[in-house]
Amino acid sequence: SHAVHESITENNEGVRFTVPLKKLDDMPEFKSMKQPLGAIKIDVENFEYFVLKGGEQLLRTYKPVVYAELWDTENRNNCFEMMKDIGYKIKILDTDKLIDFDAANHSKQNFFFVCWVITLTKFFHFVKLGRVVERDTIVRKKNTNHKQDYNQ
């Protein structure tokens, strides 16, 4: 199953249901967080751009690591463009480290959008087990756009 939108024309066969949608930016759980948002995992079957767009303020405020599966479609291009505009780098996992994605040399579908250098030992648990990233797994680079220090 997946979301259907007029701008996404692939794989829209099947039974349709109408369900309520909420933007991440409008969810009270995120507005009242006591600790900074460290990571987001997205797997919404070609609807990732809309999820990111609905959480743009969260992304700009907290700069969390974002892990997403993106098919090779216009949706992927939209996600790449938006995330670059916010200041994210597009990375893929190569054995045990994140490297820059290069469309000419990589045919991956799983992407990490990062604004910081991160240590991967504990981050793998987030990716594979769906656990929340612990605070000490994020190492911040100097970033003048973000004033929160995650290593205190």
Side-chain angles (χ1 to χ4, degrees):
S1 65
H2 65 277
V4 176
H5 188 269
E6 65 217 21
S7 68
I8 301 173
T9 58
E10 306 91 11
N11 304 314
N12 287 332
E13 305 80 27
V15 179
R16 293 183 182 213
F17 298 92
T18 301
V19 297
L21 296 176
K22 288 185 181 178
K23 292 178 12 176
L24 292 173
D25 286 341
D26 294 339
M27 294 181 70
E29 298 85 353
F30 292 121
K31 291 182 177 190
S32 62
M33 290 189 311
K34 293 185 180 10
Q35 291 188 352
L37 181 63
I40 299 173
K41 179 183 182 280
I42 302 172
D43 186 357
V44 290
E45 306 300 328
N46 210 30
F47 206 69
E48 292 78 9
Y49 175 72
F50 300 100
V51 171
L52 294 172
K53 199 71 177 149
E56 188 170 357
Q57 190 57 48
L58 281 171
L59 296 171
R60 289 183 183 280
T61 300
Y62 296 110
K63 304 282 193 206
V65 174
V66 177
Y67 173 74
E69 178 182 354
L70 299 170
W71 304 339
D72 191 6
T73 63
E74 187 62 29
N75 174 62
R76 177 192 286 184
N77 297 333
N78 291 339
C79 290
F80 284 2
E81 184 177 316
M82 177 185 166
M83 296 302 276
K84 285 181 194 175
D85 287 347
I86 294 174
Y88 279 84
K89 304 285 186 211
I90 303 164
K91 305 283 187 175
I92 59 169
L93 186 63
D94 183 23
T95 310
D96 63 348
K97 64 183 175 180
L98 294 179
I99 62 171
D100 291 333
F101 173 68
D102 177 2
N105 295 316
H106 302 124
S107 60
K108 300 282 187 175
Q109 282 186 271
N110 298 310
F111 298 91
F112 295 84
F113 298 96
V114 296
C115 288
W116 313 295
V117 174
I118 60 172
T119 60
L120 289 178
T121 305
K122 292 180 184 174
F123 192 67
F124 274 106
H125 293 291
F126 166 76
V127 173
K128 294 188 177 186
L129 303 175
R131 292 187 183 152
V132 175
V133 173
E134 296 177 33
R135 286 171 57 132
D136 64 347
T137 64
I138 297 176
V139 179
R140 227 178 122 250
K141 280 186 178 179
K142 295 268 185 208
N143 184 339
T144 56
N145 295 330
H146 196 272
K147 295 180 180 156
Q148 180 72 36
D149 187 352
Y150 290 92
N151 291 319
Q152 293 182 354

